[in-house]
């Protein structure tokens, strides 16, 4: 769970962050500043693959004070839980719809990703 949630949070902050130049060891590196208000996020997830994505989706949806969740796309995966990438996308899409409904959000936020 940790990596995906961290990615979602980093993506949310980076998408609206301003950058300032800060000297580091004789060189200059861009350092993001923390955005003010909410940031728009599209979450791309293979929600049926492992349980971390359900947590990331719930975290993003319940963090409306910082994250404006615009859509959730179903990412492809193929392993013992799916028969093909297209099957993985469909299973993830159905899982996203299920989680959105549990959270009281419209199922129309879910989008099938590439197969």
């Amino acid at each position: 769970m940790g990596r995906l949630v961290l990615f979602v949070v980093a993506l949310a902050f980076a998408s609206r962050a301003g950058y300032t130049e800060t000297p580091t060891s004789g060189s200059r590196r861009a350092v993001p500043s923390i955005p003010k208000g909410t940031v728009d996020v599209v979450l791309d997830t293979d929600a049926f693959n492992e349980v971390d994505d359900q947590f990331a989706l719930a975290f993003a949806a319940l963090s409306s004070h910082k994250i404006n969740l615009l859509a959730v796309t179903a990412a492809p995966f193929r392993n013992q839980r799916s028969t093909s990438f297209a099957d993985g996308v469909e299973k993830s899409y159905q899982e996203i719809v299920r989680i959105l409904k549990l959270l009281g959000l419209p199922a129309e936020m879910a989008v099938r990703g590439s197969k």
Side-chain angles (χ1 to χ4, degrees):
M1 177 190 114
R3 290 182 301 177
L4 184 58
V5 170
L6 181 59
F7 175 74
V8 169
V9 172
L11 179 64
F13 288 128
S15 68
R16 297 261 307 262
Y19 288 88
T20 57
E21 294 293 325
T22 303
T24 306
S25 302
S27 65
R28 297 181 71 77
R29 293 178 33 186
V31 178
S33 61
I34 297 174
K36 298 189 183 341
T38 60
V39 292
D40 294 338
V41 172
V42 174
L43 180 62
D44 186 47
T45 173
D46 58 349
F48 192 79
N49 189 18
E50 297 172 332
V51 72
D52 60 330
D53 296 62
Q54 288 90 335
F55 286 107
L57 175 52
F59 177 83
L62 298 174
S63 298
S64 59
H65 62 289
K66 285 287 185 185
I67 298 173
N68 179 25
L69 188 60
L70 300 174
V72 184
T73 60
F77 74 94
R78 183 171 184 260
N79 59 20
Q80 69 278 6
R81 300 194 74 193
S82 65
T83 58
S84 66
F85 288 111
D87 180 54
V89 166
E90 185 58 32
K91 286 179 176 175
S92 287
Y93 173 80
Q94 294 301 327
E95 181 69 0
I96 292 165
V97 169
R98 187 178 78 81
I99 299 299
L100 289 172
K101 286 181 181 178
L102 287 171
L103 293 167
L105 296 171
E108 293 77 26
M109 290 178 70
V111 179
R112 286 177 179 85
S114 63
K115 297 179 185 180

